[in-house]
Amino acid sequence: MPTKIIELTGQVNLFVKENSEKLRRVLIHPSARREKKIDGQNRYDFYARKGESLYCLRCLAFLQRLGIADDSNRSLHLMNGFNSAVYMADFIERVGVLKYLSAGAACLSNASEKEKANISRTVYYILVALVEEVGNPKVMDCLTTRFYSYLLSRFLYSPGGVSINYKALVEGLLKSDFPRLVRESFGENEEGEGAWFKLYFKKKPVYEETGRSIKTMRKKGYKELLFTMID
């Protein structure tokens, strides 16, 4: 089953509470420095750039793990999705970090929904940078690898979906171990109508179905296996 957003927010929420003072010192939006005449270095912009760099590097590593980093079209599509301001804004709101953001009143009141989402995305990157600075691998995993898995599941399970070869992704994850760990069996039903398909991972069945098209069932089987592996 695909990763659920609620599974990612618990440890991040705890980190936010434990590091509230650090967050307050960094989350001073440039508009607050102008309107409220707050002195201070450009920590907000620096941590945003740093966090975005860390996030994108880990995103690339995730695509390499999937075995599609050399496919520029698919990789770009997924990278754009993994940097979606909409999904990041939803996550940031869930973990309660926005209450530590100091921004100019005029800035927020005049901002469109898209602009507010972009601010939340910047806060997400800042949070990544702070987690790296503090040194909390579990929270970093929630903000990066597990978040990518969650978004990947959203894209692949959505009606529009990402046109992707699930078997190739599983092969990319397992590399040389693929022939040893994955086995499939299929054939026609005894009645001569339709067919059946079974997929095994580490000798255990992960998918079993009957239908008209082995090709379709194979795609569904590897889709289930992919999410079993990345969840």
Side-chain angles (χ1 to χ4, degrees):
M1 294 296 293
T3 301
K4 296 180 176 60
I5 190 66
I6 194 68
E7 298 171 2
L8 308 182
T9 54
Q11 291 189 62
V12 180
N13 183 267
L14 182 60
F15 177 90
V16 167
K17 290 178 180 177
E18 291 176 344
N19 293 273
S20 58
E21 290 307 310
K22 286 179 180 290
L23 286 164
R24 282 194 177 93
R25 287 198 299 271
V26 175
L27 291 177
I28 301 175
H29 190 270
S31 63
R33 294 200 296 271
R34 291 192 298 269
E35 289 184 29
K36 301 179 182 180
K37 297 181 180 179
I38 299 175
D39 294 327
Q41 300 175 346
N42 295 326
R43 297 188 188 94
Y44 183 92
D45 297 321
F46 171 72
Y47 276 84
R49 287 287 186 89
K50 180 182 178 181
E52 183 177 6
S53 299
L54 291 167
Y55 183 87
C56 289
L57 284 173
R58 287 175 174 265
C59 179
L60 179 60
F62 183 77
L63 295 175
Q64 290 172 333
R65 180 186 166 203
L66 287 177
I68 62 169
D70 292 333
D71 187 330
S72 57
N73 290 331
R74 287 175 178 166
S75 293
L76 181 60
H77 184 95
L78 289 175
M79 288 189 81
N80 287 340
F82 293 161
N83 284 273
S84 165
V86 174
Y87 288 112
M88 287 180 165
D90 175 65
F91 192 100
I92 284 299
E93 186 172 348
R94 288 173 183 269
V95 298
V97 71
L98 286 178
K99 61 186 175 184
Y100 303 115
L101 173 67
S102 178
C107 169
L108 293 179
S109 62
N110 297 328
S112 65
E113 290 303 313
K114 182 178 180 180
E115 290 169 334
K116 290 178 181 177
N118 284 331
I119 291 175
S120 293
R121 175 168 55 187
T122 300
V123 172
Y124 194 104
Y125 294 143
I126 290 172
L127 186 56
V128 169
L130 280 171
V131 170
E132 191 269 343
E133 183 175 278
V134 172
N136 191 320
K138 289 184 178 180
V139 174
M140 182 64 83
D141 188 54
C142 289
L143 290 172
T144 54
T145 304
R146 295 190 66 198
F147 187 58
Y148 306 144
S149 296
Y150 158 72
L151 291 178
L152 182 63
S153 68
R154 289 295 299 265
F155 301 147
L156 297 185
Y157 272 87
S158 65
V162 177
S163 179
I164 208 158
N165 187 326
Y166 301 104
K167 183 178 180 180
L169 290 181
V170 171
E171 289 178 328
L173 284 170
L174 297 176
K175 301 188 185 303
S176 60
D177 288 328
F178 178 82
R180 178 175 60 84
L181 298 177
V182 179
R183 182 174 68 85
E184 57 180 66
S185 61
F186 53 87
E188 294 184 351
N189 293 327
E190 293 181 2
E191 297 82 4
E193 296 183 1
W196 55 270
F197 179 85
K198 296 180 181 180
L199 189 64
Y200 300 84
F201 181 58
K202 296 181 180 179
K203 299 183 179 180
K204 296 180 180 180
V206 295
Y207 180 84
E208 182 176 351
E209 189 62 85
T210 58
R212 293 183 176 276
S213 170
I214 292 176
K215 181 179 179 181
T216 299
M217 289 185 286
R218 177 181 283 113
K219 184 174 183 179
K220 289 180 178 179
Y222 279 101
K223 187 176 186 177
E224 287 298 315
L225 177 55
L226 173 64
F227 288 116
T228 296
M229 294 170 62
I230 65 176
D231 277 357

